């Protein structure tokens, strides 16, 4: 990572997270092209806090987090919500909960229906598989030997085991693999953990190739603007060691800064809604109305807390250890609710001040994976460190509130099963059964985020689309995006795995590589049989 900077590269990848790490690795290993990867944060190598899987929550709000927040909204009682985003090599995969989960096949079929031609489940499955080193080995639906190690908890916490048993008592399926033929039911999670240590995108994709002579990785490099020759993107300006530096790309520049900083960089460079650019005093290079629009995230309740009958013991795995997907209404075609256990209290400041959470507490936290509320991102200033106005509009749609009420009710039902009888001493927060009106009030008090912002530079074909189905930024040449911002519709899962998949596809689009589709067809058939 200490290679000297050259004035010109074939490809420049901006952002070293779940998308950028993949693209940089795949481009560098295909031929003798010169690749530059720029990351605003430090290297992850040797950072014990990042490797420590069990204590990942200590990273939130710390030096490896950008520190972004969602703007206050009346639906959340005027609260501002933190959005942890990784500012370190590996991006958010270096500070997240390490969940590898791709959601339901209909998520990607919906992308294609929304205009992202060629992004149906059968087409994207081979790219998920290519990334995987799944502990059970390769199958029609899973991959092995890929850069990212994926394991189940080997010794689940008693609370995690209880969630599985409780789900079975209530008639929910208990499934062996949420990335298998069906994701409906309770299961142990897939975790990017190997040997008890975090297995981030940096560890999986970048560390093994960091010494390649054709790959330059520069950390502490803050991107501040793109430069163009006419309509062709030719170079990136960035600050490194306090000095503004510029590097040129002969072929392409790939943006992978995430759903917040990719639209920010585009707007700073004159690409976005002309009205917004005019307000910011930025000359219009390309009027793209969709930049910063269509922002989506999953609302999460922090959480439904219970008083434990005995001490919980040391934290295991990622502090959770079991998850559950189910439908808020039987007629739905796929699960819309998701919950996980927390080996400790799970509450924001408002809930913690309203309830007694002292002593031994654990939580089961539900959230909505098919929320319909949509937000947007605005720049308050075009300066690199300018303030942002990021509004997901959580709970703006009444249907989202109704689904979360159903999520709360299911957590209460789980806690009342025989499986939890030896673990639950009583409710803690809420500390009693609530009326419908009180449940809505609790939802507004406790609603937070799964940390899954996406969609702010959506893929498609219409005038609101920012990138085409090959991830090329519309209206300009030589510029692509490979991160969560291109998702036209939020998938019903943690976004790390889909972003890795997007990075894998982006590299193939750039190099013209065609991955064999036979596996995808077979696997789609397997899903249909299930």
């Amino acid at each position: 990572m200490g290679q000297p900077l050259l004035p010109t590269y074939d490809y420049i990848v901006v952002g070293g997270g779940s998308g950028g790490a993949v693209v940089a690795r795949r481009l560098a290993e295909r031929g003798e092209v010169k690749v530059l990867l720029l990351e605003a944060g430090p290297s992850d190598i040797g950072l014990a806090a990042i490797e420590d899987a069990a204590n990942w929550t200590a990273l939130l709000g710390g030096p490896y987090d950008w520190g972004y927040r969602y703007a206050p909204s009346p639906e959340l009682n005027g609260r501002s919500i933190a959005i942890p985003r990784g500012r370190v090599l590996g991006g958010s995969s270096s500070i997240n909960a390490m969940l590898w989960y791709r959601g339901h096949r209909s998520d990607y079929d919906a992308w294609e229906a929304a205009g992202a031609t060629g992004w149906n489940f059968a087409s994207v499955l081979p790219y998920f598989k290519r990334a995987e080193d799944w502990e059970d080995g390769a199958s029609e639906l899973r991959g092995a030997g890929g850069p990212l190690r994926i394991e189940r908890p080997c010794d689940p916490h008693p609370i995690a085991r209880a969630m599985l048993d409780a789900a079975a008592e209530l008639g929910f399926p208990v499934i062996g693999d949420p990335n298998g033929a069906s994701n409906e039911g309770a299961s142990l999670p897939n975790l990017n953990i190997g040997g008890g240590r975090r297995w981030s995108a940096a560890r999986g994709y970048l560390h093994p190739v960091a010494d390649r002579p054709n790959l330059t990785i520069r950390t502490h490099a803050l991107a501040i603007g793109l430069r163009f020759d006419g309509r062709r993107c030719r170079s990136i300006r960035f600050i490194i060691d306090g000095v503004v530096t510029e590097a040129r790309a002969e072929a392409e520049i790939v943006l992978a800064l995430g759903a917040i900083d990719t639209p920010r960089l585009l707007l700073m460079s004159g690409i976005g809604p002309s009205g917004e650019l005019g307000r910011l005093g930025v000359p219009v290079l390309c009027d793209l109305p969709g930049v910063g629009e269509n922002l989506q995230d999953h609302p999460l309740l922090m959480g439904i807390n219970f008083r434990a009958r005995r001490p919980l013991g040391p934290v295991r795995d990622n502090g959770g250890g079991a998850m559950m997907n189910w439908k808020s209404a039987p007629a739905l075609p796929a699960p819309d609710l998701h919950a996980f256990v927390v080996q400790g209290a799970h509450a924001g400041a408002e809930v913690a001040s309203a309830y007694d959470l002292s002593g031994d507490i654990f939580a089961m936290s539900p959230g909505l994976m098919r929320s319909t509320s949509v937000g947007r991102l605005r720049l308050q200033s075009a300066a690199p460190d300018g303030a942002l106005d990021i509004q997901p509009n959580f709970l703006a749609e009444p249907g989202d509130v109704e689904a979360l009420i159903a999520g709360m009710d299911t957590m209460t039902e789980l806690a009342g099963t025989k499986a939890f009888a030896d673990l639950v001493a009583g409710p803690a927060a809420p500390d009693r059964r609530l009326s419908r009106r009180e449940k809505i009030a609790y939802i507004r008090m406790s609603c937070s985020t799964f940390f899954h912002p996406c969609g702010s530079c959506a893929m498609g074909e219409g005038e609101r689309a920012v990138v085409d189905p090959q991830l090329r930024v519309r209206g300009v040449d030589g510029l692509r995006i490979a991160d969560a911002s291109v998702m036209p519709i939020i998938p019903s899962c943690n976004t790390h795995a889909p972003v890795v998949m997007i990075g894998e596809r982006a590299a193939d689009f750039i190099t013209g590589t065609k991955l064999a589709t036979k596996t995808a067809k077979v696997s789609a058939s397997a899903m249909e049989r299930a």
Side-chain angles (χ1 to χ4, degrees), residues 215-251:
L215 175 61
T216 300
I217 302 173
R218 292 306 298 263
T219 55
H220 300 288
L222 177 67
I224 59 173
L226 300 165
R227 288 204 165 170
F228 292 77
D229 290 341
R231 308 291 284 186
R232 184 167 191 84
C233 189
R234 284 297 188 189
S235 62
I236 178 81
R237 297 175 69 240
F238 53 98
I239 299 173
I240 192 165
D241 297 329
V243 177
V244 176
T245 305
E246 187 167 345
R248 183 179 177 89
E250 291 294 338

Side-chain angles (χ1 to χ4, degrees), residues 37 41 86 120 175 180 184 221 241 250 268 281 302 330 352 391 402 431 444 480 488 490 502 527:
L37 174 63
N120 56 61
I175 56 178
E184 186 168 3
D241 297 329
E250 291 294 338
M268 290 168 58
M302 298 179 56
Q391 180 54 264
E402 292 299 320
D431 57 7
R444 298 197 187 284
R480 292 189 207 238
I490 191 168
I502 289 167
M527 296 288 284

Side-chain angles (χ1 to χ4, degrees), residues 242-487:
V243 177
V244 176
T245 305
E246 187 167 345
R248 183 179 177 89
E250 291 294 338
E252 290 192 19
I253 291 177
V254 182
L255 303 184
L257 302 96
I260 294 173
D261 281 303
T262 284
R264 182 211 280 262
L265 185 61
L266 289 176
L267 290 163
M268 290 168 58
S269 304
I271 300 174
S274 58
E276 283 298 296
L277 295 172
R279 179 180 63 81
L280 295 167
V282 176
V284 178
L285 174 76
C286 182
D287 181 10
L288 275 185
V291 174
E293 301 296 323
N294 192 53
L295 180 72
Q296 299 166 61
D297 196 355
H298 293 132
L300 166 71
L301 300 189
M302 298 179 56
I304 310 302
N305 292 266
F306 302 92
R307 196 162 301 282
R309 289 190 180 277
R310 57 180 182 272
L312 299 172
V315 173
R316 304 183 194 179
D317 305 305
N318 68 340
M323 56 183 273
M324 180 171 159
N325 301 300
W326 77 106
K327 299 173 183 177
S328 62
L332 292 175
D336 62 332
L337 290 169
H338 175 91
F340 54 89
V341 297
V342 181
Q343 299 168 33
H346 191 209
E350 291 77 10
V351 171
S353 64
Y355 295 92
D356 177 13
L357 293 176
S358 61
D360 296 304
I361 303 289
F362 72 90
M364 290 187 283
S365 298
L368 183 58
M369 285 288 179
R370 295 186 183 275
S371 53
T372 55
S373 301
V374 176
R376 81 303 177 264
L377 174 147
R378 299 281 188 273
L379 271 61
Q380 299 302 304
S381 162
D385 58 351
L388 296 169
D389 178 14
I390 314 169
Q391 180 54 264
N393 287 326
F394 281 152
L395 310 184
E397 296 294 332
D400 290 357
V401 177
E402 292 299 320
L404 288 169
I405 291 173
M408 287 185 67
D409 290 345
T410 301
M411 298 301 98
T412 301
E413 291 170 4
L414 288 171
T417 61
K418 294 178 181 177
F420 275 105
D422 291 335
L423 294 170
V424 174
D431 57 7
R432 57 185 173 80
R433 288 190 176 271
L434 304 180
S435 67
R436 173 183 167 81
R437 181 178 58 81
E438 289 171 327
K439 289 173 186 175
I440 293 174
Y442 188 83
I443 287 169
R444 298 197 187 284
M445 181 195 302
S446 64
C447 182
S448 184
T449 167
F450 274 96
F451 322 146
H452 299 161
C454 65
S456 52
C457 294
M459 170 173 37
E461 297 288 1
E463 66 177 16
R464 307 294 290 183
V466 176
V467 299
D468 69 12
Q470 290 205 347
L471 306 177
R472 297 171 294 206
V473 176
R474 297 173 61 241
V476 299
D477 297 318
L479 185 63
R480 292 189 207 238
I481 301 176
D483 60 32
S485 69
V486 306
M487 298 178 184

Side-chain angles (χ1 to χ4, degrees), residues 12-28 30 35-39 85-86 88-94 96 100 119 127 130-131 147-148 192 200-206 215 253-259 262 453 471 480-487 495-508 510:
I12 299 175
V13 181
V14 189
S18 298
V22 177
V23 175
R25 158 76 174 268
R26 295 309 190 194
L27 293 179
R30 297 175 189 174
V35 180
L36 171 63
L37 174 63
L38 300 173
E39 165 56 43
R85 298 283 86 199
V88 60
L89 202 64
S92 295
S93 76
S94 290
N96 67 7
W100 179 266
W119 287 80
Y127 293 92
R130 187 162 74 184
L148 294 179
N192 286 131
S200 68
R203 180 180 175 187
Y205 279 90
L206 295 178
L215 175 61
I253 291 177
V254 182
L255 303 184
L257 302 96
T262 284
L471 306 177
R480 292 189 207 238
I481 301 176
D483 60 32
S485 69
V486 306
M487 298 178 184
T495 48
H496 167 59
V499 172
V500 169
M501 176 273 290
I502 289 167
E504 290 279 8
R505 292 207 81 187
D508 274 9
I510 292 166

Side-chain angles (χ1 to χ4, degrees), residues 144-155:
L148 294 179
R149 181 64 180 168
I150 304 164
E151 300 179 356
R152 298 182 186 88
C154 61
D155 183 20

